[in-house]
């Protein structure tokens, strides 16, 4: 049973606050990491698009070379 001065209730409240504080402070870290991951994804998508464009141009040049070689 709690003591007359309420110290057990106070200690219990302190423990509960400590437990709740951890996810609350981690939330900001998670949001920051998510933001960095999102920026990285944007950079990767841009790089993949450039790579696909370069591949398309290489294919066009290769087809032109094949056409020239086939005409010889």
């Amino acid at each position: 049973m709690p003591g007359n001065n309420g110290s057990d209730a106070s200690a219990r409240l302190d423990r509960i606050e400590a437990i709740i504080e951890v996810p609350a402070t981690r939330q900001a870290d998670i949001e920051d990491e998510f933001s960095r991951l999102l920026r990285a994804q944007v950079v990767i998508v841009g790089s993949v698009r450039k790579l696909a464009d370069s591949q398309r141009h290489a294919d066009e040049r290769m087809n032109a070379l094949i056409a020239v070689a086939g005409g010889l």
Side-chain angles (χ1 to χ4, degrees), residues 25-71:
T25 56
R26 291 280 303 144
Q27 181 66 30
D29 294 338
I30 291 168
E31 289 175 3
D32 183 52
E33 184 67 18
F34 181 76
S35 178
R36 283 187 272 159
L37 288 171
L38 189 57
R39 283 192 301 269
Q41 182 182 10
V42 169
V43 170
I44 290 171
V45 167
S47 297
V48 169
R49 285 183 179 155
K50 287 179 184 177
L51 179 62
D53 191 44
S54 296
Q55 183 64 47
R56 190 176 328 109
H57 289 300
D59 289 347
E60 290 169 0
R61 290 190 306 247
M62 182 63 75
N63 288 336
L65 180 61
I66 291 169
V68 169

Side-chain angles (χ1 to χ4, degrees), residues 6-27:
S7 64
D8 288 341
S10 178
R12 184 171 184 232
L13 183 58
D14 289 343
R15 287 194 311 270
I16 292 170
E17 287 175 344
I19 291 168
I20 291 173
E21 185 178 349
V22 172
T25 56
R26 291 280 303 144
Q27 181 66 30

